Amino acid sequence: MKILSSQYISKHKYFTAKKDTYQTESGKIVDPYYIVEMPPSACAFAITEDKKVLLVRQFRYPVDKMLHELPGGFIDEGEAADKAIARELQEETGYHFSEIISIGHTFANPGVLNNKTFLFLALNGEKTTEQSLDENEEIEIILKSLGETKSMLENSEIEQSMHALCMYRAFEYINAHLPEYHLS
């Protein structure tokens, strides 16, 4: 693949859009091709020390709906993904986790978006501070049992696709490696 031209349409810290023209290996010219660039992000299936799953509930303007999601957010430039999710967990929920396990990554929509989301399982969360939210955030913390959370996932009550994938991966990891968290 060879880029023939690239022009930014919008440039913002959390959202850039550009219009490219490129040539495929077979010689086909693709013009235009639009790309949305966003920073990498991270989310975590977070379990407290009393084995409750930490979900967040917040209004999502683009879909005009309150959604149940996992805690997470953008990774700062130069920040490691595991450090970013620890920071996001602390800021959004006030919980500190003694163990954070990488369970994969995903690309939300690689046909248009370029960002990667890192997926984590966080264990043994302890409430240590109050939330420290960004100015535009209003996040309600929801605590659910593992069984309730799995039911929410199976009943499509978790509508954020990257978070649903993280939850499926977390349940797979738990089933394979953490018998103390198995559902009865």
Side-chain angles (χ1 to χ4, degrees), residues 45 51-53 143-150 171 183:
F45 187 81
K51 293 189 172 69
K52 296 289 184 186
V53 178
L143 293 167
K144 296 282 187 182
S145 71
L146 285 159
E148 290 171 318
T149 305
K150 190 165 190 183
F171 279 117
L183 301 173

Side-chain angles (χ1 to χ4, degrees), residues 100-182:
I100 296 178
I101 303 163
S102 173
I103 55 174
H105 70 270
T106 188
F107 295 98
N109 185 353
V112 178
L113 298 173
N114 76 334
N115 78 316
K116 180 189 284 191
T117 298
F118 295 87
L119 312 175
F120 292 96
L121 172 61
L123 301 173
N124 303 312
E126 178 184 1
K127 180 85 167 159
T128 58
T129 62
E130 294 305 311
Q131 290 174 300
S132 176
L133 302 175
D134 293 340
E135 188 176 300
N136 64 335
E137 290 180 316
E138 292 180 6
I139 296 174
E140 178 186 359
I141 298 168
I142 309 288
L143 293 167
K144 296 282 187 182
S145 71
L146 285 159
E148 290 171 318
T149 305
K150 190 165 190 183
S151 290
M152 289 177 74
L153 180 61
E154 291 169 346
N155 293 321
S156 297
E157 294 174 50
I158 305 299
E159 297 177 274
Q160 212 287 20
S161 62
M162 294 176 298
H163 294 192
L165 176 60
C166 184
M167 294 171 82
Y168 279 113
R169 292 254 178 101
F171 279 117
E172 286 176 357
Y173 187 94
I174 288 167
N175 288 336
H177 303 286
L178 301 171
E180 65 272 27
Y181 289 94
H182 285 188

Side-chain angles (χ1 to χ4, degrees), residues 5-176:
S5 69
S6 187
Q7 173 189 0
Y8 280 99
I9 299 165
S10 168
K11 238 180 177 301
H12 183 272
K13 180 179 179 180
Y14 295 119
F15 176 90
T16 63
K18 66 180 184 172
K19 176 185 156 195
D20 283 2
T21 301
Y22 71 93
Q23 183 175 14
T24 67
E25 286 186 18
S26 66
K28 180 179 179 177
I29 304 291
V30 179
D31 181 26
Y33 197 94
Y34 294 96
I35 301 167
V36 175
E37 298 177 332
M38 296 174 68
S41 60
C43 64
F45 187 81
I47 304 173
T48 65
E49 59 191 356
D50 59 347
K51 293 189 172 69
K52 296 289 184 186
V53 178
L54 259 176
L55 299 173
V56 295
R57 186 170 182 266
Q58 59 187 320
F59 180 75
R60 292 302 194 178
Y61 180 76
V63 295
D64 192 28
K65 192 171 184 180
M66 291 293 286
L67 295 179
H68 286 93
E69 299 178 342
L70 297 178
F74 288 123
I75 298 171
D76 293 336
E77 191 172 332
E79 186 177 33
D82 60 336
K83 302 296 184 214
I85 195 57
R87 174 184 51 76
E88 285 288 342
L89 286 164
Q90 189 75 54
E91 290 172 1
E92 288 189 1
T93 70
Y95 280 77
H96 171 78
F97 291 81
S98 64
E99 189 172 3
I100 296 178
I101 303 163
S102 173
I103 55 174
H105 70 270
T106 188
F107 295 98
N109 185 353
V112 178
L113 298 173
N114 76 334
N115 78 316
K116 180 189 284 191
T117 298
F118 295 87
L119 312 175
F120 292 96
L121 172 61
L123 301 173
N124 303 312
E126 178 184 1
K127 180 85 167 159
T128 58
T129 62
E130 294 305 311
Q131 290 174 300
S132 176
L133 302 175
D134 293 340
E135 188 176 300
N136 64 335
E137 290 180 316
E138 292 180 6
I139 296 174
E140 178 186 359
I141 298 168
I142 309 288
L143 293 167
K144 296 282 187 182
S145 71
L146 285 159
E148 290 171 318
T149 305
K150 190 165 190 183
S151 290
M152 289 177 74
L153 180 61
E154 291 169 346
N155 293 321
S156 297
E157 294 174 50
I158 305 299
E159 297 177 274
Q160 212 287 20
S161 62
M162 294 176 298
H163 294 192
L165 176 60
C166 184
M167 294 171 82
Y168 279 113
R169 292 254 178 101
F171 279 117
E172 286 176 357
Y173 187 94
I174 288 167
N175 288 336

